[in-house]
Each structure stands twice: as structure tokens, then as C-alpha cells.
Amino acid sequence: MTIWHPYTQMATAPAPIAVERAEGAWLHTADGRSILDAISSWWVILHGHCNPRIAAAIARQAAALDQVILAGFTHDPAERLARELVGMTPPGLEHVFFSDDGSTAVEVALKMACQYWQNRGEPGRTRFVSLEGSYHGDTIGAMSVSGVDVFRRVFAKLLFDVERVSNPCLADVLEPSRRPERQIACAEELDGLLARLRGQVAAVILEPMIQGAGGMIIWPREFLAGARAACDRHDVLLIADEVFTGFGRTGKLFACEHGPVTPDILCLSKAITGGVLPLAATLTTGRVYDAFLSEDRGRTFFHGHSFTGNPIACAAALESIALLRDGGMERVGEIEAIHRARLEALAGRADVLDASCLGLVARIELRPHSAGGYLDDIGPRLAREFLARDVLLRPLGNVVYVLPPLAMTDDELHRVHDVITDVFREIG
């Protein structure tokens, strides 16, 4: 019996690397290597591996209450976490629905948006709008609203139809001067689509400020405000998928603050517990929540997960939020400054189309070597070269990105950038 490892071409895959322990930004392997984790172990680890404060909070909670059904029951960690989330997210988000991971947070949001209109007496509002190049998860609904073809093409017949609008900067890496023009055009495209489909659209879903799996695409804050305005004009719900961008990743606590906008529904996961345990939350406004209040059981939101609001995960989340407030956001700014300084040297390379950063995320887009995008063969080649130098980086095709945990020191972060520069120089 073996583990079926995700994202692995099994016929040619090398043996997986056995990790025995981790600390800060380092992974320590069974064969004695120490590998610098420059992607926060798939974007989840926020403060660093094995943070002692989070570990202690987990131990305390595990000794008191490990799990209890959240239907008809409650507990202090979930109540406190819900209050914390409402207090720190954009104003107007008042209610918290807990689930398990990013994909389920999005599934909850999609079902919630659809049933909201059903409960309001508008059953024809069943369509969703998303951006090209978006990624929202691996479950059926989340795949349907995603726009990265490699993740969904095999399952196309299982997915529901979604309207897509142009990304405000997807095609403009080579022509930065055109970005304001394209941004306006994309906002007008969204507005026109919502006008044409008036009375049919349940919600627009987007990843605010950074599209993660689509290539760490950083887009202008003005488009975020424009999307909110278009939804308001045409009475459409706005879903912000901050599964990746939430909890400081973009330099603000939540990417919606760049607008600033308040979505009708907000999806959170990944870093919510500091990346230590699975947990997700879908937040809504009172407007959405009130549509489900009724003596008619048929208006109930019939959705739930076995581990909804798990007490141990909630305790980890509460400690992670405390750490973020205790100097965490200041560290985000320090990391961004190092990214910005190091990227300047790469921006002039002939093979670099874009070198940019926002918050903890630095991205370097190379000229495509083959297919371009996620399947460009330069990605696996670069990943092997980085790992041979004991740095964990997993390029998204021809896009190399760095997403360090907050525990990564300045010297360690410079080492990551040094390795990237050395590998680029060697592969020419």
C-alpha cells in the first residue's frame, strides 16, 4: 500500500521526501537534509512550522474538549473565533458558517448565494460569474467557477456552466502601460454582462488582488472597487474568495481592504489556523443571513460538515490571530520590502516578463518555454533545481513565486532569492 500523492505524474515521479520534523521555515528530512520552505507548505503555514504558542493552545484545548456537533450545540472556542472574525474582516460581515477547507468554504458560498435568491422568491437567479484564470478549489462547484483549464478539463461534463469575464491584467505583462486601459475595459465588460443577464445571476466570485493557482496574478485595486460597484448596480451578490489571500498575505489583513470593499460573502481557510489544522469559514452579511430566517423548514440551509467548528482547530485559529496582531503584520511589511528590493535586479532580464510583489507574495514570470501557463515544462525543471539547493519552490508553470512564512528570517529570505538568481543564471 502506498500514498497517492497529489499533483504527481506517477509513472515518472521520484520517491517522496520523508520529513521528520519542522521548525520555523525549515523542513528536516529523514536522510538528514534541511530544506527551506519558501511556499509555506502549499500556502498554509503562516507564522512558521511548529509555532510553540499554537502548539500549546492545541494541547490545552485537546485536554478539555476535542469535538462536538455544532448543530444545536456550541462551545467557547467557536464563539470566540466567530466574534474575532467578524471584528477583523471588512465591516458588515456579521455571521460565520464554519466548514473544513477552502474548497468547502467556496461550496458553502455558492450554495448559500443560490438559495438566498430562492428564499427571496427569485428562483431564476442560478448563474455565476467568475474571472478568467481564476481558481477556487477542487470540488465540483468550486471547479465549475474556476477558470484554470488544467484543473477542470477532465471533469467538464460534470460541471455547471459559468459566465467568465476578462482578467484585468492577465494579458498585459508585456505592456504595463496598457493596464489602466484594460482595467477599465474589464470593469465595463463585467458591468455589461450583469446588465445583459439581469435577473439571472446569483453572484460574482473572485479572488481579490491575487489570483493564486492561475499564476499569482496581481491585479489593480481599482478593479476590486469596480466589481463591487457593478454588483451593487445590478443587485448581484459578490463572493470574495480569500482562502489564499486572507490573514495578511497581501499586506492587509484581508485583500478586500485594498478596495476597500465589503463582499456579501467571504471565504476563508488555509492560514486561518496558522496552517496547522484544517478549518474554514464562510462569512455573510445580515442581508444574506436574514433570507434564511423562517418558521418554514424548507428555507433552512441544509449544509453541514462533521468537523464544523472543531474546538481544537478553533483554538489554533484564535492563537494564530493573536500572533498576527502581535507583530505579524509588521513582519509582512518587512518581507515585502525585501521582495521588492531583490526583484529589481531581475526585472531587466530578457527572459523575465514580470517581476512584482504584493505583501508576502513575490512573482517572477518567465517567457514560456513550451506550452506556457501551468503546464509549461520549465516549471518542473526549475523545481528540481531549487530543491537540489535545499529550497522548496513549486513554480506554477513559467511563474516562479515566493510565499514565505512569517518566521523566515531576513537572511533566509535573501538565501531564497539568491538561489532563484543562481538557477536563472545557470539555465540561461
Side-chain angles (χ1 to χ4, degrees), residues 11-72:
T12 59
I17 297 170
V19 177
E20 287 191 335
R21 61 186 182 86
E23 182 180 10
W26 292 94
L27 304 172
H28 302 289
T29 70
D31 61 359
R33 293 175 66 186
S34 293
I35 298 172
L36 199 50
D37 183 357
I39 60 167
S40 298
S41 283
W42 241 343
W43 319 351
V44 297
I45 295 296
L46 181 58
H47 304 286
H49 290 279
C50 297
N51 181 279
R53 284 176 53 176
I54 296 178
I58 289 171
R60 288 193 301 272
Q61 186 57 50
L65 175 64
D66 52 357
Q67 167 65 8
V68 65
I69 184 173
L70 211 63

Side-chain angles (χ1 to χ4, degrees), residues 141-181:
M143 273 196 298
S144 295
V145 295
S146 296
V148 182
D149 187 56
V150 68
F151 294 110
R152 58 195 305 272
R153 67 171 68 128
V154 174
F155 312 103
K157 292 184 179 180
L158 302 178
L159 310 180
F160 57 77
D161 290 335
V162 171
E163 301 291 335
R164 303 196 195 285
V165 293
S166 300
N167 185 297
C169 63
L170 191 61
D172 285 337
V173 171
L174 288 174
E175 301 177 70
S177 63
R178 285 196 55 225
R179 286 197 174 188
E181 169 194 333

Side-chain angles (χ1 to χ4, degrees), residues 17-18 22 55 146 200 258 268 288 291 293 295 310 369 393 397:
I17 297 170
S146 296
Q200 301 177 49
H258 288 279
L268 303 174
V288 174
L293 294 179
E295 295 300 318
N310 172 263
H369 280 223
L393 290 165

Side-chain angles (χ1 to χ4, degrees), residues 271-340:
I272 191 172
T273 64
V276 178
L277 289 170
L279 182 68
T282 304
L283 282 74
T284 71
T285 61
R287 171 195 177 189
V288 174
Y289 180 81
D290 289 348
F292 293 83
L293 294 179
S294 175
E295 295 300 318
D296 178 5
R297 290 191 66 209
R299 295 165 67 93
T300 300
F301 186 55
F302 285 106
H303 187 105
H305 295 263
S306 300
F307 290 97
T308 288
N310 172 263
I312 301 173
C314 288
L318 287 165
E319 194 61 40
S320 177
I321 290 170
L323 283 163
L324 199 55
R325 288 181 170 143
D326 188 15
M329 291 306 298
E330 289 81 357
R331 182 59 186 152
V332 173
E334 293 165 358
I335 289 172
E336 181 176 15
I338 293 174
H339 281 332
R340 200 169 300 281

